[in-house]
Amino acid sequence: MTRKIKRLLLWVGTPLATFLLILSVLFAAWLNGTRIPLASGATYLKVTKTGEASFNGEPTQPTFILIVGNDYRPGVEGRRGDAIHLIGINPELKQGTILNFPRDTEVAIPGNGTNKINAANAFGGARLSAETVGNLVGVSVPYVIEADFGQFVSLINAIGGVEINVTRPMRDSNSGTSFDPGLLKLDGNQALAFSRDRYSFPSGDIARTQNQGEVILAGFKAFRAGDGSIANKFTTLSTLMRHTSLDGLGVNDLFSLESLASQIDPGNVRNVTVPVQNVGRGSNLSPTAEAQAIFADFRDDAVLQSR
Amino acid sequence: MNNTAEALLVAYFGIVFRRTVFLAIVVLAIAGCRGASKSGSASLKDPQVTVAVQSAGAETTVSQETQASVVSTISDYVQNGMLDPIRTGNDAEDLTNYFTPDALTRVMGDDAEVMLDNGFASASGKITGEFSQFSLNALADTQATISLIGVELTLKISGPTSDGDITITREGNLVLSPDGDNWKIRGYSMSVQRSGKGVDEAVKKAER
């Protein structure tokens, strides 16, 4: 072997060997349960406690949580809230409601005039989103849970996927859907596609918004799949803490939210999309009179008795 | 009767009187002791504690002091909220040292039927409490600080009351958070079943 060939092998082989060594150490550590794995730094969710600083979930009072899916991804800045869902949970009645807001709904955004509801998140993040939706419905929103596209995919994969009942064929190259009707187990990317597809439905964004509510409910079911023991809850919470960015809240708040969620059977949670109508300004929509009646019914106890 | 005979007679009756009084005191004391044993007592056996930790940060352990504080809070709650009401026949009194204010409101109110043992006739013998499970699970945050402790427990209380023997079994968990140097119960998921003469034997549950 010539000296040139030996030098070439050394030049290529040393970094490769080092890389393989690091990879094998990481893999061994991961197998051993040590928390070095690649996912340890990944953030799946951001949970914000809003201005309701003194909020303390009462077992007799409804609690309202805003879920925002923002459209941030590489190449898209601004974090508009393209999926906006207000969850009301009534621990006393053990019922709840998800109100889904079409992203083009025109609303008053405090300090920013009138605009589409998804702009609130881009203007002022989770807190302004909570204030905007809270003002529209007439409730205080103490918590906001937010995820972007990548975080959403990671989260769904982390909980082992979600079961969704697909009600009609969905084939859309924009979102990436290719689903036949039936009960399907979707991984993170498939769930994201299901949540984004508006072209497979005559009602477009309205059906998409309703589907996003279905994904939230399915995630809720997967989240509650444990045996209810404290050991199981703490395992879930420690995993959540590792992958959640907390803004203004701590472990006790997380436990309160987890306890709240664990008390409600997802079968007792209604998934309702806010009725809207075109207002003649581009794609802008406004809540109908029926929507106002829904808000009035919802705000007192988070349950829709009239529907 | 001469003076000597009179003095002997007084001394004799004095001795008899003193012995009678002494005997009466002894008899009364024995009777009192027997009466006291009929009013009953209550005791709780120390639990066998198992410990596990879930940490969002680095691995950590639960100190002996923390374990002792948690055991103390729960044992004192059982003593004051369950055993003493059965022993005395009176409702549980001040439990502020063992619960956070929000939890206490529920325990003393809507959840009292599950969390306390009020309303029994007083004990006529020894009431015993014994944990068959006391599994301490700790949750540490990303800084590896123990922030919450949950205890899965099974507790059996049994013994005689003036209405007959009773048995009470509780299963569930208590969740505690730090409060100064102590730990207080801030949440729970508990079921209770009672049995005995005239006792409602339906399983009851409470969750907070």
Side-chain angles (χ1 to χ4, degrees), chain A residues 176-238:
Chain A
T177 55
S178 180
F179 304 135
D180 292 322
L183 188 62
L184 304 179
K185 183 78 176 272
L186 306 184
D187 66 17
N189 281 310
Q190 291 170 321
L192 179 64
F194 176 81
S195 303
R196 295 184 64 205
D197 183 359
R198 60 179 160 147
Y199 295 109
S200 296
F201 303 91
S203 57
D205 191 49
I206 305 301
R208 170 169 70 171
T209 306
Q210 180 78 11
N211 283 345
Q212 291 166 356
E214 293 295 330
V215 172
I216 291 171
L217 269 176
F220 187 26
K221 281 179 194 164
F223 178 74
R224 290 178 83 251
D227 60 8
S229 68
I230 279 292
N232 192 276
K233 284 184 177 191
F234 281 8
T235 301
T236 303
L237 282 174
S238 64

Side-chain angles (χ1 to χ4, degrees), chain B residues 42-106:
Chain B
S43 66
L44 178 66
K45 293 181 182 173
D46 289 339
Q48 294 289 314
V49 183
T50 62
V51 181
V53 183
Q54 291 291 334
S55 177
E59 286 188 12
T60 187
T61 56
V62 185
S63 69
Q64 289 296 324
E65 290 78 14
T66 298
Q67 289 184 42
S69 178
V70 167
V71 170
S72 169
T73 296
I74 293 176
S75 298
D76 289 350
Y77 152 51
V78 170
Q79 187 71 48
N80 289 283
M82 301 171 198
L83 297 175
D84 282 353
I86 299 171
R87 182 179 61 80
T88 62
N90 300 321
D91 285 357
E93 294 180 351
D94 186 13
L95 301 175
T96 51
N97 287 339
Y98 322 123
F99 290 91
T100 60
D102 291 339
L104 185 64
T105 303
R106 297 284 293 186

Side-chain angles (χ1 to χ4, degrees), chain A residues 33-35 56-60 92 94 228-235 237-239 241-242 251-253 255-256 259 262-263, chain B residues 54-59 102 106 110 137-142 147-152 173-175 177-178 186-187 189 207-208:
Chain A
T34 310
R35 293 195 185 90
N56 187 6
E58 283 297 321
T60 55
E92 192 166 33
K94 300 204 181 300
S229 68
I230 279 292
N232 192 276
K233 284 184 177 191
F234 281 8
T235 301
L237 282 174
S238 64
T239 304
M241 280 191 282
R242 277 199 290 278
V251 178
N252 271 285
D253 294 282
F255 180 75
S256 294
S259 298
S262 67
Q263 289 180 40
Chain B
Q54 291 291 334
S55 177
E59 286 188 12
D102 291 339
R106 297 284 293 186
D110 291 351
N137 294 273
L139 176 65
D141 60 21
T142 51
S147 308
L148 286 174
I149 287 179
V151 177
E152 303 269 9
N173 63 64
L174 302 170
V175 178
S177 55
R186 55 147 293 165
S189 175
E207 191 166 23
R208 187 195 143 69

Side-chain angles (χ1 to χ4, degrees), chain B:
Chain B
M1 194 180 290
N2 61 32
N3 285 344
T4 306
E6 195 174 330
L8 281 172
L9 206 59
V10 168
Y12 172 76
F13 280 110
I15 290 167
V16 168
F17 178 74
R18 281 200 295 274
R19 285 184 177 173
T20 304
V21 168
F22 175 75
L23 277 173
I25 289 170
V26 168
V27 167
L28 283 173
I30 290 170
C33 286
R34 283 182 178 168
S37 73
K38 277 188 179 173
S39 71
S41 61
S43 66
L44 178 66
K45 293 181 182 173
D46 289 339
Q48 294 289 314
V49 183
T50 62
V51 181
V53 183
Q54 291 291 334
S55 177
E59 286 188 12
T60 187
T61 56
V62 185
S63 69
Q64 289 296 324
E65 290 78 14
T66 298
Q67 289 184 42
S69 178
V70 167
V71 170
S72 169
T73 296
I74 293 176
S75 298
D76 289 350
Y77 152 51
V78 170
Q79 187 71 48
N80 289 283
M82 301 171 198
L83 297 175
D84 282 353
I86 299 171
R87 182 179 61 80
T88 62
N90 300 321
D91 285 357
E93 294 180 351
D94 186 13
L95 301 175
T96 51
N97 287 339
Y98 322 123
F99 290 91
T100 60
D102 291 339
L104 185 64
T105 303
R106 297 284 293 186
V107 168
M108 300 302 281
D110 291 351
D111 295 340
E113 198 177 10
V114 174
M115 301 300 288
L116 307 174
D117 284 328
N118 295 332
F120 284 101
S122 59
S124 59
K126 188 173 183 183
I127 303 292
T128 57
E130 186 170 9
F131 294 101
S132 58
Q133 183 196 11
F134 198 105
S135 305
L136 190 155
N137 294 273
L139 176 65
D141 60 21
T142 51
Q143 307 302 311
T145 303
I146 304 288
S147 308
L148 286 174
I149 287 179
V151 177
E152 303 269 9
L153 58 84
T154 304
L155 170 66
K156 184 179 175 185
I157 294 173
S158 59
T161 71
S162 53
D163 282 349
D165 288 352
I166 57 165
T167 300
I168 303 164
T169 305
R170 279 187 175 78
E171 281 186 298
N173 63 64
L174 302 170
V175 178
L176 300 91
S177 55
D179 182 75
D181 292 336
N182 299 316
W183 286 76
K184 284 189 174 180
I185 300 163
R186 55 147 293 165
Y188 46 81
S189 175
M190 192 63 67
S191 71
V192 63
Q193 185 168 31
R194 301 177 174 95
S195 63
K197 188 181 171 187
V199 174
D200 179 2
E201 300 194 356
V203 175
K204 297 180 176 69
K205 295 181 180 179
E207 191 166 23
R208 187 195 143 69

Side-chain angles (χ1 to χ4, degrees), chain A:
Chain A
M1 198 179 287
T2 65
R3 188 176 287 181
K4 255 187 179 177
I5 293 173
K6 276 184 182 173
R7 200 176 293 164
L8 184 69
L9 282 175
L10 198 67
W11 185 76
V12 174
T14 303
L16 186 66
T18 308
F19 174 72
L20 286 174
L21 182 68
I22 291 171
L23 199 66
S24 60
V25 167
L26 281 173
F27 186 64
W30 178 70
L31 283 177
N32 199 33
T34 310
R35 293 195 185 90
I36 302 173
L38 305 176
S40 67
T43 299
Y44 300 157
L45 295 171
K46 181 181 180 189
V47 183
T48 303
K49 193 171 185 177
T50 66
E52 307 293 319
S54 62
F55 175 81
N56 187 6
E58 283 297 321
T60 55
Q61 297 296 316
T63 298
F64 300 97
I65 301 163
L66 186 67
I67 295 196
V68 177
N70 72 55
D71 66 353
Y72 172 80
R73 55 198 183 277
V76 176
E77 297 297 330
R79 296 181 187 273
R80 287 175 305 176
D82 274 358
I84 302 170
H85 309 270
L86 183 61
I87 302 180
I89 294 176
N90 188 315
E92 192 166 33
L93 299 175
K94 300 204 181 300
Q95 295 181 53
T97 306
I98 301 177
L99 285 185
N100 310 304
F101 296 85
R103 68 177 186 180
D104 293 333
T105 306
E106 195 177 84
V107 295
I109 300 176
N112 293 276
T114 299
N115 210 318
K116 288 182 179 178
I117 197 168
N118 66 349
N121 206 63
F123 290 149
R127 288 184 172 81
L128 188 58
S129 292
E131 192 180 355
T132 301
V133 175
N135 287 350
L136 177 65
V137 178
V139 299
S140 288
V141 182
Y143 294 111
V144 181
I145 299 173
E146 186 179 359
D148 62 33
F149 282 14
Q151 291 169 331
F152 176 85
V153 170
S154 300
L155 176 67
I156 297 296
N157 286 334
I159 60 175
V162 288
E163 276 196 339
I164 295 287
N165 186 24
V166 176
T167 56
R168 58 180 291 140
M170 295 176 72
R171 311 221 185 278
D172 169 41
S173 58
N174 292 297
S175 58
T177 55
S178 180
F179 304 135
D180 292 322
L183 188 62
L184 304 179
K185 183 78 176 272
L186 306 184
D187 66 17
N189 281 310
Q190 291 170 321
L192 179 64
F194 176 81
S195 303
R196 295 184 64 205
D197 183 359
R198 60 179 160 147
Y199 295 109
S200 296
F201 303 91
S203 57
D205 191 49
I206 305 301
R208 170 169 70 171
T209 306
Q210 180 78 11
N211 283 345
Q212 291 166 356
E214 293 295 330
V215 172
I216 291 171
L217 269 176
F220 187 26
K221 281 179 194 164
F223 178 74
R224 290 178 83 251
D227 60 8
S229 68
I230 279 292
N232 192 276
K233 284 184 177 191
F234 281 8
T235 301
T236 303
L237 282 174
S238 64
T239 304
L240 266 180
M241 280 191 282
R242 277 199 290 278
H243 299 293
T244 303
S245 163
L246 300 178
D247 180 0
L249 71 165
V251 178
N252 271 285
D253 294 282
L254 265 193
F255 180 75
S256 294
L257 284 173
E258 197 279 339
S259 298
L260 196 64
S262 67
Q263 289 180 40
I264 311 295
D265 181 344
N268 292 331
V269 180
R270 301 274 304 280
N271 180 30
V272 176
T273 297
V274 173
V276 288
Q277 59 195 356
N278 200 292
V279 291
R281 285 189 293 279
S283 58
N284 288 19
L285 305 165
S286 75
T288 63
E290 187 190 358
Q292 299 301 337
I294 288 173
F295 297 159
D297 187 3
F298 174 80
R299 71 173 68 106
D300 60 340
D301 58 6
V303 176
L304 299 182
Q305 282 87 357
S306 62
R307 288 168 67 95

